[in-house]
Amino acid sequence: MDQNELKKAVARAAADYVKTRLDERTVIGVGTGSTANYFIEYLGEFKQDIQATVASSEDTAKRLKALGIPVIELNSAPEVSVYVDGADEANEYLQLIKGGGGALTREKIIAAVAKEFVCIADGSKLVDVLGSFPLPVEVIPMARSHVGREIVKLGGDPVYRDGVVTDNGNIIIDIHNMSIVDPRKLEQQLNQITGVVTNGLFAMRPADKLILGTIEGLRTLSL
Ligand code: 5RP
């Protein structure tokens, strides 16, 4: 099984799970990225039963609408019952690095609202210590140099993601070479830097369930 097959398998498992949770009030949060895209594809199979979704990016909203799946604004959703999204890295505490696709801020907002956050990923994303994957930070453009200098003070190597503008009109700085031994602390420290919109550490609000695809089969971790 290659990585794509593993992504498909976890996306299928998440769609099957969401299907069992549907009622007339269910709003599904939908993530961004290649794993989430498979999930969207599988949602299409029972779109007639879906009342509403909220999308974590413009790309996801476009994909959902193209399949005829209703998309509403988060502000119009009374609640988000379940949020399904991928990750760039995860640890055994279900803390994550997200934002490889640049959608971290909207992803974090939906995760904050969601009653349940189901993370889906191929098994290679599970690590002992977060940080091998460069940690994305969304930044207000005029604060780029300031935020970069503050990141250096925290011990990281900031790299501007050239040519990327987020759905919110901001830039991304990726933090390289940082072994994240205390994800909750670093998440808060980064949020304190003026000009940072948000960062890709999902530690204060980790996933509730992590479905991993491995060659031996699916592995589910829960908090
Ligand atoms: C996008 C994300 C994605 O969930 C993350 O990058 C994983 O992507 P993929 O499913 O393509 O491996 O956080 O901002």
Side-chain angles (χ1 to χ4, degrees):
M1 256 194 186
D2 67 13
Q3 201 183 19
N4 272 324
E5 295 302 317
L6 298 175
K7 288 182 179 190
K8 280 186 195 175
V10 291
R12 166 64 70 193
D16 289 348
Y17 175 68
V18 165
K19 201 172 173 184
T20 65
R21 303 278 317 269
L22 292 179
D23 64 35
E24 67 285 349
R25 286 165 9 118
T26 304
V27 178
I28 307 167
V30 185
T32 298
S34 55
T35 318
N37 288 344
Y38 289 125
F39 173 68
I40 293 169
E41 224 174 279
Y42 298 137
L43 283 182
E45 294 173 6
F46 54 94
K47 63 180 172 197
Q48 66 288 344
D49 302 324
I50 298 174
Q51 293 299 318
T53 62
V54 290
S56 65
S57 64
E58 299 296 336
D59 181 62
T60 289
K62 208 162 93 187
R63 287 170 188 270
L64 288 162
K65 286 175 188 166
L67 289 173
I69 299 171
V71 182
I72 61 170
E73 292 298 321
L74 182 62
N75 287 321
S76 309
E79 64 175 44
V80 174
S81 325
V82 57
Y83 171 44
V84 177
D85 200 355
D88 299 302
E89 275 186 355
N91 66 18
E92 63 174 322
Y93 305 106
L94 276 48
Q95 298 170 322
L96 314 170
I97 287 184
K98 289 186 49 54
L104 58 157
T105 299
R106 296 188 188 194
E107 293 174 338
K108 207 174 240 192
I109 294 168
I110 298 180
V113 175
K115 281 179 142 175
E116 185 179 20
F117 176 12
V118 178
C119 182
I120 50 176
D122 68 86
S124 70
K125 306 282 182 77
L126 186 67
V127 296
D128 289 331
V129 179
L130 299 172
S132 296
F133 189 92
L135 172 63
V137 182
E138 180 163 352
V139 176
I140 302 286
M142 72 174 287
R144 185 176 98 190
S145 300
H146 168 66
V147 172
R149 287 189 291 266
E150 294 300 308
I151 288 170
V152 170
K153 285 184 200 163
L154 290 173
D157 293 337
V159 177
Y160 169 56
R161 206 184 287 182
D162 208 3
V164 171
V165 177
T166 69
D167 285 348
N168 313 307
N170 298 312
I171 60 156
I172 300 279
I173 293 177
D174 293 303
I175 308 180
H176 290 247
N177 303 319
M178 210 176 196
S179 176
I180 304 171
V181 286
D182 189 342
R184 288 172 63 93
K185 185 174 172 199
L186 183 63
E187 182 175 358
Q188 294 175 74
Q189 283 175 317
L190 289 169
N191 284 344
Q192 292 301 322
I193 301 173
T194 304
V196 166
V197 178
T198 195
N199 69 83
L201 272 173
F202 285 55
M204 290 188 288
R205 199 289 181 237
D208 298 303
K209 193 196 281 270
L210 173 62
I211 307 176
L212 290 170
T214 73
I215 40 170
E216 290 89 32
L218 295 184
R219 185 176 163 207
T220 302
L221 283 71
S222 298
L223 279 186

